[in-house]
Protein backbone atom coordinates (compact mmCIF):
# COMPACT_ATOMS: atom_id res chain seq x y z
CA UNK A 1 0.00 0.00 0.00
CA UNK A 2 1.23 3.49 -0.88
CA UNK A 3 0.29 6.34 1.44
CA UNK A 4 0.58 9.80 -0.20
CA UNK A 5 2.38 12.52 1.72
CA UNK A 6 0.03 15.17 0.36
CA UNK A 7 -0.16 17.94 -2.20
CA UNK A 8 0.21 21.68 -2.16
CA UNK A 9 -3.59 22.01 -2.27
CA UNK A 10 -3.91 21.28 1.45
CA UNK A 11 -5.26 24.19 3.55
CA UNK A 12 -2.89 26.54 5.37
CA UNK A 13 -2.96 27.47 9.03
CA UNK A 14 -6.01 29.07 10.56
CA UNK A 15 -6.01 30.74 13.96
CA UNK A 16 -8.14 27.96 15.37
CA UNK A 17 -5.28 25.51 14.87
CA UNK A 18 -3.12 27.16 17.51
CA UNK A 19 -3.83 25.79 20.98
CA UNK A 20 -2.81 27.49 24.22
CA UNK A 21 -1.49 26.13 27.51
CA UNK A 22 -1.20 22.53 26.37
CA UNK A 23 -0.02 19.89 28.82
CA UNK A 24 3.21 18.35 27.47
CA UNK A 25 3.21 15.32 29.76
CA UNK A 26 1.70 13.07 27.04
CA UNK A 27 4.27 14.35 24.52
CA UNK A 28 7.52 13.37 26.23
CA UNK A 29 8.62 9.85 27.14
CA UNK A 30 10.38 11.03 30.32
CA UNK A 31 6.92 11.87 31.70
CA UNK A 32 8.07 15.28 32.91
CA UNK A 33 5.28 17.75 33.61
CA UNK A 34 5.48 20.94 31.55
CA UNK A 35 3.14 23.22 29.61
CA UNK A 36 3.41 24.72 26.14
CA UNK A 37 2.25 28.35 25.96
CA UNK A 38 1.26 27.71 22.33
CA UNK A 39 0.91 24.41 20.48
CA UNK A 40 0.40 23.76 16.76
CA UNK A 41 -0.14 20.39 15.10
CA UNK A 42 1.65 20.65 11.75
CA UNK A 43 0.05 18.18 9.34
CA UNK A 44 1.24 19.79 6.11
CA UNK A 45 4.27 21.99 5.32
CA UNK A 46 2.02 24.77 4.00
CA UNK A 47 0.80 25.41 7.53
CA UNK A 48 4.22 26.78 8.40
CA UNK A 49 3.99 29.52 5.77
CA UNK A 50 1.00 31.11 7.48
CA UNK A 51 2.32 30.45 10.96
CA UNK A 52 5.63 32.19 10.30
CA UNK A 53 3.78 35.37 9.28
CA UNK A 54 1.92 35.52 12.58
CA UNK A 55 3.01 38.05 15.25
CA UNK A 56 3.08 35.28 17.86
CA UNK A 57 5.63 33.26 15.89
CA UNK A 58 7.75 36.32 15.19
CA UNK A 59 7.96 37.28 18.87
CA UNK A 60 8.21 33.86 20.53
CA UNK A 61 10.75 31.03 20.51
CA UNK A 62 9.65 27.78 18.91
CA UNK A 63 10.38 24.10 19.29
CA UNK A 64 9.78 21.30 16.79
CA UNK A 65 8.50 18.22 18.61
CA UNK A 66 8.54 14.72 17.16
CA UNK A 67 7.98 11.75 19.46
CA UNK A 68 9.42 13.50 22.52
CA UNK A 69 11.74 10.55 23.12
CA UNK A 70 15.02 12.42 23.38
CA UNK A 71 14.12 15.55 25.34
CA UNK A 72 13.86 16.75 28.92
CA UNK A 73 11.69 19.77 29.61
CA UNK A 74 13.62 21.85 32.15
CA UNK A 75 10.84 24.29 33.13
CA UNK A 76 7.22 24.19 34.20
CA UNK A 77 6.27 26.21 31.11
CA UNK A 78 7.77 26.46 27.66
CA UNK A 79 7.01 30.08 26.79
CA UNK A 80 7.14 29.66 23.04
CA UNK A 81 5.35 27.68 20.33
CA UNK A 82 5.63 23.91 20.14
CA UNK A 83 5.33 22.67 16.55
CA UNK A 84 4.16 19.05 16.72
CA UNK A 85 5.30 17.31 13.55
CA UNK A 86 2.32 15.26 12.36
CA UNK A 87 3.11 15.12 8.63
CA UNK A 88 2.15 11.60 7.58
CA UNK A 89 2.67 9.40 4.56
CA UNK A 90 4.93 6.68 3.18
CA UNK A 91 5.33 6.90 -0.59
CA UNK A 92 7.35 4.83 -3.07
CA UNK A 93 9.04 7.32 -5.39
CA UNK A 94 11.30 4.98 -7.38
CA UNK A 95 12.22 1.33 -7.78
CA UNK A 96 14.81 -0.67 -9.66
CA UNK A 97 16.05 -4.24 -9.46
CA UNK A 98 18.08 -3.66 -6.30
CA UNK A 99 16.49 -0.76 -4.45
CA UNK A 100 13.22 0.89 -3.47
CA UNK A 101 13.29 4.57 -2.57
CA UNK A 102 10.70 5.87 -0.11
CA UNK A 103 9.67 9.40 0.79
CA UNK A 104 8.34 9.45 4.35
CA UNK A 105 6.52 12.22 6.21
CA UNK A 106 8.43 13.66 9.14
CA UNK A 107 5.61 12.93 11.58
CA UNK A 108 5.50 9.19 10.87
CA UNK A 109 6.45 7.09 13.90
CA UNK A 110 9.84 5.45 13.32
CA UNK A 111 8.48 2.07 14.44
CA UNK A 112 5.69 2.34 11.86
CA UNK A 113 8.26 2.94 9.11
CA UNK A 114 10.34 -0.08 10.19
CA UNK A 115 7.21 -2.24 10.17
CA UNK A 116 6.35 -0.98 6.68
CA UNK A 117 9.84 -1.91 5.47
CA UNK A 118 9.67 -5.41 6.94
CA UNK A 119 6.15 -6.00 5.62
CA UNK A 120 7.29 -5.05 2.12
CA UNK A 121 10.57 -6.97 2.24
CA UNK A 122 12.70 -3.83 2.23
CA UNK A 123 16.08 -4.01 3.96
CA UNK A 124 18.19 -1.43 5.75
CA UNK A 125 16.02 -0.59 8.76
CA UNK A 126 16.02 -3.92 10.60
CA UNK A 127 18.84 -3.03 13.02
CA UNK A 128 16.98 0.17 13.92
CA UNK A 129 13.81 -1.62 15.00
CA UNK A 130 11.94 -0.42 18.09
CA UNK A 131 13.74 2.94 18.31
CA UNK A 132 11.22 5.49 19.62
CA UNK A 133 10.52 8.85 17.99
CA UNK A 134 9.53 10.10 14.57
CA UNK A 135 11.09 10.02 11.12
CA UNK A 136 11.65 13.78 11.06
CA UNK A 137 13.58 13.67 14.32
CA UNK A 138 15.76 10.71 13.30
CA UNK A 139 18.30 12.71 11.23
CA UNK A 140 18.97 15.20 14.03
CA UNK A 141 21.05 12.78 16.05
CA UNK A 142 21.59 10.27 13.25
CA UNK A 143 19.84 7.50 15.17
CA UNK A 144 21.72 4.24 15.33
CA UNK A 145 21.82 0.85 17.01
CA UNK A 146 23.61 -2.47 16.75
CA UNK A 147 26.08 -1.45 14.06
CA UNK A 148 23.69 0.54 11.85
CA UNK A 149 22.85 4.24 11.52
CA UNK A 150 20.22 6.26 9.70
CA UNK A 151 22.96 7.74 7.52
CA UNK A 152 23.47 4.28 5.97
CA UNK A 153 20.11 4.54 4.17
CA UNK A 154 19.19 8.23 4.05
CA UNK A 155 19.39 9.68 0.55
CA UNK A 156 18.02 13.17 1.23
CA UNK A 157 15.50 15.14 3.27
CA UNK A 158 13.30 18.19 2.91
CA UNK A 159 14.01 20.77 5.60
CA UNK A 160 12.08 24.01 6.05
CA UNK A 161 14.08 26.92 7.43
CA UNK A 162 12.04 28.37 10.28
CA UNK A 163 13.76 31.74 9.93
CA UNK A 164 13.33 32.36 6.20
CA UNK A 165 10.60 29.83 5.32
CA UNK A 166 12.75 28.43 2.50
CA UNK A 167 12.48 24.74 1.65
CA UNK A 168 15.76 22.99 1.19
CA UNK A 169 16.36 19.53 -0.26
CA UNK A 170 19.47 18.29 1.52
CA UNK A 171 21.65 15.36 0.45
CA UNK A 172 23.19 12.85 2.82
CA UNK A 173 26.53 14.67 2.60
CA UNK A 174 24.93 18.03 3.37
CA UNK A 175 23.48 16.60 6.59
CA UNK A 176 27.08 16.14 7.83
CA UNK A 177 26.28 13.01 9.79
CA UNK A 178 28.53 11.78 12.57
CA UNK A 179 28.18 9.61 15.63
CA UNK A 180 24.81 10.71 17.12
CA UNK A 181 25.43 13.99 15.36
CA UNK A 182 24.45 16.03 12.32
CA UNK A 183 24.42 19.58 11.00
CA UNK A 184 21.02 19.93 12.70
CA UNK A 185 22.73 19.90 16.07
CA UNK A 186 25.14 22.61 15.02
CA UNK A 187 24.62 25.24 12.32
CA UNK A 188 21.10 24.24 11.16
CA UNK A 189 19.22 23.84 14.43
CA UNK A 190 16.23 25.96 13.45
CA UNK A 191 14.62 23.76 10.79
CA UNK A 192 11.53 21.60 10.41
CA UNK A 193 12.17 18.24 8.72
CA UNK A 194 9.05 17.77 6.59
CA UNK A 195 10.06 14.52 4.87
CA UNK A 196 12.94 12.09 4.55
CA UNK A 197 13.94 10.04 1.49
CA UNK A 198 15.41 6.60 2.16
CA UNK A 199 17.01 4.11 -0.23
CA UNK A 200 16.28 0.55 0.90
CA UNK A 201 17.26 -2.81 -0.55
CA UNK A 202 14.89 -5.21 -2.31
CA UNK A 203 14.71 -8.97 -1.58
CA UNK A 204 17.83 -10.72 -2.82
CA UNK A 205 19.95 -7.62 -2.36
CA UNK A 206 19.96 -7.19 1.42
CA UNK A 207 23.26 -6.56 3.22
CA UNK A 208 22.48 -7.86 6.68
CA UNK A 209 24.53 -6.53 9.58
CA UNK A 210 24.93 -9.20 12.25
CA UNK A 211 28.34 -8.10 13.51
CA UNK A 212 26.96 -7.24 16.95
CA UNK A 213 27.78 -10.21 19.14
CA UNK A 214 24.49 -10.46 21.01
CA UNK A 215 22.52 -10.46 17.75
CA UNK A 216 24.59 -13.38 16.47
CA UNK A 217 24.04 -15.21 19.76
CA UNK A 218 20.26 -14.77 19.62
CA UNK A 219 20.13 -15.97 16.02
CA UNK A 220 22.24 -19.01 16.91
CA UNK A 221 20.08 -19.80 19.95
CA UNK A 222 16.99 -19.63 17.73
CA UNK A 223 18.56 -21.96 15.18
CA UNK A 224 18.62 -19.30 12.46
CA UNK A 225 21.26 -20.41 9.97
CA UNK A 226 20.33 -18.01 7.18
CA UNK A 227 19.29 -14.67 8.72
CA UNK A 228 16.60 -12.52 7.12
CA UNK A 229 15.65 -8.90 7.71
CA UNK A 230 12.78 -10.14 9.87
CA UNK A 231 14.92 -12.47 12.00
CA UNK A 232 17.47 -9.70 12.55
CA UNK A 233 14.71 -7.24 13.49
CA UNK A 234 13.23 -9.81 15.89
CA UNK A 235 16.64 -10.25 17.54
CA UNK A 236 17.06 -6.48 17.86
CA UNK A 237 13.60 -6.13 19.42
CA UNK A 238 14.37 -8.89 21.90
CA UNK A 239 17.61 -7.14 22.88
CA UNK A 240 16.00 -3.74 23.25
CA UNK A 241 13.11 -5.07 25.32
CA UNK A 242 15.50 -6.93 27.62
CA UNK A 243 17.76 -3.93 28.20
CA UNK A 244 15.61 -0.82 27.87
CA UNK A 245 12.55 0.15 29.91
CA UNK A 246 9.24 0.70 28.16
CA UNK A 247 8.50 4.43 28.53
CA UNK A 248 4.80 3.62 28.76
CA UNK A 249 5.49 2.19 32.20
CA UNK A 250 8.78 3.79 33.29
CA UNK A 251 9.59 7.29 32.08
CA UNK A 252 12.92 7.69 30.29
CA UNK A 253 14.50 9.33 27.27
CA UNK A 254 16.54 6.35 26.12
CA UNK A 255 20.29 6.81 26.30
CA UNK A 256 20.89 9.85 28.51
CA UNK A 257 24.62 10.02 27.69
CA UNK A 258 26.69 9.57 24.56
CA UNK A 259 29.51 7.07 24.33
CA UNK A 260 32.92 8.70 24.74
CA UNK A 261 34.84 9.28 21.50
CA UNK A 262 38.59 9.95 21.58
CA UNK A 263 41.70 9.75 19.44
CA UNK A 264 44.32 7.01 19.65
CA UNK A 265 46.64 9.03 21.90
CA UNK A 266 43.93 9.70 24.48
CA UNK A 267 42.81 6.07 24.37
CA UNK A 268 46.37 4.82 24.92
CA UNK A 269 46.64 7.03 28.01
CA UNK A 270 43.29 5.76 29.33
CA UNK A 271 44.09 2.14 28.61
CA UNK A 272 47.42 2.40 30.43
CA UNK A 273 45.58 3.27 33.64
CA UNK A 274 42.48 1.10 33.02
CA UNK A 275 43.60 -1.95 30.99
CA UNK A 276 40.13 -3.53 31.04
CA UNK A 277 38.38 -0.61 29.35
CA UNK A 278 36.41 -1.86 26.29
CA UNK A 279 36.80 -0.06 23.00
CA UNK A 280 35.32 0.01 19.51
CA UNK A 281 37.20 1.48 16.55
CA UNK A 282 35.50 3.69 13.98
CA UNK A 283 36.35 3.99 10.30
CA UNK A 284 38.05 7.35 10.88
CA UNK A 285 40.42 5.80 13.43
CA UNK A 286 38.77 7.29 16.49
CA UNK A 287 38.01 5.14 19.52
CA UNK A 288 34.60 4.72 21.16
CA UNK A 289 34.41 3.89 24.86
CA UNK A 290 30.99 2.62 26.01
CA UNK A 291 29.58 5.14 28.46
CA UNK A 292 27.51 2.38 30.06
CA UNK A 293 30.71 0.59 31.08
CA UNK A 294 32.15 3.75 32.61
CA UNK A 295 28.94 4.45 34.55
CA UNK A 296 28.62 0.88 35.75
CA UNK A 297 32.23 0.82 36.97
CA UNK A 298 31.43 3.90 39.04
CA UNK A 299 28.68 1.98 40.80
CA UNK A 300 25.66 3.76 39.33
CA UNK A 301 23.91 0.92 37.51
CA UNK A 302 20.64 0.25 39.32
CA UNK A 303 21.25 3.03 41.85
CA UNK A 304 18.41 5.34 42.89
CA UNK A 305 18.23 8.68 44.64
CA UNK A 306 14.64 9.45 45.53
CA UNK A 307 12.49 8.98 42.44
CA UNK A 308 15.37 9.12 39.91
CA UNK A 309 17.69 6.26 39.09
CA UNK A 310 19.89 4.46 36.59
CA UNK A 311 18.03 1.53 35.04
CA UNK A 312 19.20 -1.78 36.46
CA UNK A 313 19.47 -3.39 33.01
CA UNK A 314 21.28 -0.57 31.17
CA UNK A 315 23.55 2.03 32.75
CA UNK A 316 23.00 4.59 29.97
CA UNK A 317 19.34 5.04 30.87
CA UNK A 318 18.16 7.40 33.60
CA UNK A 319 14.60 6.65 34.62
CA UNK A 320 11.73 8.47 36.26
CA UNK A 321 10.23 6.33 39.01
CA UNK A 322 7.26 8.64 39.48
CA UNK A 323 6.30 12.33 39.42
CA UNK A 324 9.90 13.49 39.26
CA UNK A 325 10.84 17.00 38.15
CA UNK A 326 13.58 18.03 35.74
CA UNK A 327 15.75 19.53 38.49
CA UNK A 328 16.04 16.14 40.20
CA UNK A 329 16.96 14.46 36.90
CA UNK A 330 19.65 17.02 36.04
CA UNK A 331 21.10 16.92 39.56
CA UNK A 332 21.25 13.13 39.37
CA UNK A 333 22.89 13.20 35.93
CA UNK A 334 25.45 15.72 37.17
CA UNK A 335 26.50 13.38 39.98
CA UNK A 336 26.93 10.51 37.52
CA UNK A 337 29.08 12.66 35.23
CA UNK A 338 31.22 13.92 38.09
CA UNK A 339 31.96 10.37 39.27
CA UNK A 340 32.94 9.24 35.76
CA UNK A 341 35.14 12.32 35.40
CA UNK A 342 36.79 11.70 38.74
CA UNK A 343 37.63 8.08 38.00
CA UNK A 344 38.30 8.06 34.26
CA UNK A 345 38.95 11.70 33.34
CA UNK A 346 36.05 11.63 30.86
CA UNK A 347 33.26 14.22 30.93
CA UNK A 348 30.25 12.46 29.41
CA UNK A 349 28.24 14.40 26.84
CA UNK A 350 24.45 14.38 27.14
CA UNK A 351 22.53 12.65 24.38
CA UNK A 352 19.19 13.88 25.68
CA UNK A 353 18.24 17.43 24.69
CA UNK A 354 17.46 19.84 27.52
CA UNK A 355 14.60 22.20 26.62
CA UNK A 356 14.49 25.45 28.59
CA UNK A 357 11.89 28.24 28.56
CA UNK A 358 13.31 29.86 25.43
CA UNK A 359 14.94 26.96 23.63
CA UNK A 360 14.78 26.94 19.85
CA UNK A 361 15.31 23.87 17.68
CA UNK A 362 14.04 20.36 17.00
CA UNK A 363 13.47 17.20 18.99
Amino acid sequence: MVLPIGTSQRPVLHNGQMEEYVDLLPYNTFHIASTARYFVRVQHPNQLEALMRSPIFQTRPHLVLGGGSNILFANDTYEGIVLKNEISGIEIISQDEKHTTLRVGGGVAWTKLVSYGLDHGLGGLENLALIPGTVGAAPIQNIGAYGAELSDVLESLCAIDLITGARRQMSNAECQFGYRDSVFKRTLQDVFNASVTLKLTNPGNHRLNTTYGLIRRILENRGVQVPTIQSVADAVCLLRRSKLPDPEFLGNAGSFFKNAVMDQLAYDALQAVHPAVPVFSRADGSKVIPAAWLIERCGWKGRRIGRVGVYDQHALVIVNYGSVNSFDVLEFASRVREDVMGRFGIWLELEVRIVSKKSVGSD
Side-chain angles (χ1 to χ4, degrees), residues 223-356:
V224 178
Q225 297 181 349
V226 182
T228 63
I229 56 173
Q230 186 65 60
S231 64
V232 171
D234 290 344
V236 167
C237 289
L238 180 63
L239 275 175
R240 292 188 69 89
R241 290 190 175 108
S242 68
K243 290 180 173 292
L244 300 173
D246 186 339
E248 289 291 324
F249 304 102
L250 196 58
N252 71 92
S255 297
F256 202 92
F257 305 101
K258 295 181 182 180
N259 289 329
V261 181
M262 59 186 64
D263 60 24
Q264 183 70 51
L265 187 63
Y267 168 70
D268 290 342
L270 177 67
Q271 199 268 342
V273 180
H274 304 281
V277 63
V279 63
F280 301 95
S281 298
R282 300 178 63 192
D284 61 4
S286 60
K287 304 297 181 181
V288 179
I289 310 300
W293 186 88
L294 301 171
I295 295 168
E296 186 171 352
R297 290 304 180 276
C298 290
W300 282 97
K301 187 177 181 181
R303 183 175 172 185
R304 289 179 59 170
I305 298 178
R307 294 168 297 179
V308 187
V310 173
Y311 192 50
D312 57 5
Q313 297 298 312
H314 201 310
L316 272 185
V317 182
I318 293 179
V319 294
N320 174 3
Y321 285 105
S323 302
V324 73
N325 60 52
S326 58
F327 176 82
D328 292 333
V329 175
L330 293 173
E331 180 67 19
F332 185 92
S334 180
R335 294 184 62 174
V336 173
R337 298 171 90 187
E338 288 169 359
D339 276 6
V340 171
M341 182 66 182
R343 181 167 180 179
F344 296 102
I346 295 174
W347 185 249
L348 294 177
E349 291 186 45
L350 300 184
E351 184 162 328
V352 68
R353 183 178 176 219
I354 310 301
V355 179
S356 62

Side-chain angles (χ1 to χ4, degrees), residues 51-323:
L51 177 64
M52 291 177 65
R53 293 193 296 267
S54 71
I56 293 177
F57 187 91
Q58 294 173 8
T59 57
R60 297 267 179 168
H62 49 267
L63 170 74
V64 179
L65 183 63
S69 59
N70 192 49
I71 59 175
L72 176 65
F73 289 105
N75 300 105
D76 292 339
T77 301
Y78 178 69
E79 298 291 352
I81 306 171
V82 171
L83 307 174
K84 183 69 173 70
N85 192 338
E86 295 186 354
I87 298 177
S88 62
I90 302 174
E91 179 182 4
I92 297 174
I93 60 173
S94 69
Q95 282 183 305
D96 58 29
E97 182 181 348
K98 294 183 178 181
H99 297 97
T100 292
T101 302
L102 303 178
R103 184 166 61 233
V104 188
V108 173
W110 181 261
T111 53
K112 179 179 179 180
L113 171 62
V114 174
S115 295
Y116 178 95
L118 294 172
D119 290 345
H120 290 77
L122 303 178
L125 303 176
E126 56 276 359
N127 290 59
L128 306 178
L130 220 60
I131 293 179
T134 58
V135 170
I140 296 170
Q141 64 167 1
N142 185 23
I143 60 170
Y146 305 112
E149 293 180 323
L150 174 68
S151 57
D152 299 333
V153 295
L154 185 141
E155 190 168 77
S156 64
L157 60 81
C158 176
I160 299 175
D161 190 315
L162 291 175
I163 298 175
T164 66
R167 298 193 190 193
R168 180 176 177 183
Q169 196 72 20
M170 299 180 62
S171 67
N172 185 303
E174 289 175 312
C175 293
Q176 299 177 25
F177 289 122
Y179 170 70
R180 302 299 179 272
D181 191 32
S182 71
V183 70
F184 308 109
K185 281 193 168 185
R186 291 176 267 113
T187 57
L188 278 181
Q189 294 186 31
D190 202 6
V191 297
F192 184 102
N193 289 334
S195 65
V196 170
T197 301
L198 306 175
K199 190 173 185 179
L200 306 179
T201 54
N202 292 332
N205 296 279
H206 301 323
R207 299 183 295 274
L208 297 178
N209 185 340
T210 58
T211 57
Y212 195 83
L214 289 176
I215 291 180
R216 289 200 305 271
R217 189 179 308 169
I218 290 173
L219 293 173
E220 290 170 1
N221 290 342
R222 291 183 166 187
V224 178
Q225 297 181 349
V226 182
T228 63
I229 56 173
Q230 186 65 60
S231 64
V232 171
D234 290 344
V236 167
C237 289
L238 180 63
L239 275 175
R240 292 188 69 89
R241 290 190 175 108
S242 68
K243 290 180 173 292
L244 300 173
D246 186 339
E248 289 291 324
F249 304 102
L250 196 58
N252 71 92
S255 297
F256 202 92
F257 305 101
K258 295 181 182 180
N259 289 329
V261 181
M262 59 186 64
D263 60 24
Q264 183 70 51
L265 187 63
Y267 168 70
D268 290 342
L270 177 67
Q271 199 268 342
V273 180
H274 304 281
V277 63
V279 63
F280 301 95
S281 298
R282 300 178 63 192
D284 61 4
S286 60
K287 304 297 181 181
V288 179
I289 310 300
W293 186 88
L294 301 171
I295 295 168
E296 186 171 352
R297 290 304 180 276
C298 290
W300 282 97
K301 187 177 181 181
R303 183 175 172 185
R304 289 179 59 170
I305 298 178
R307 294 168 297 179
V308 187
V310 173
Y311 192 50
D312 57 5
Q313 297 298 312
H314 201 310
L316 272 185
V317 182
I318 293 179
V319 294
N320 174 3
Y321 285 105
S323 302

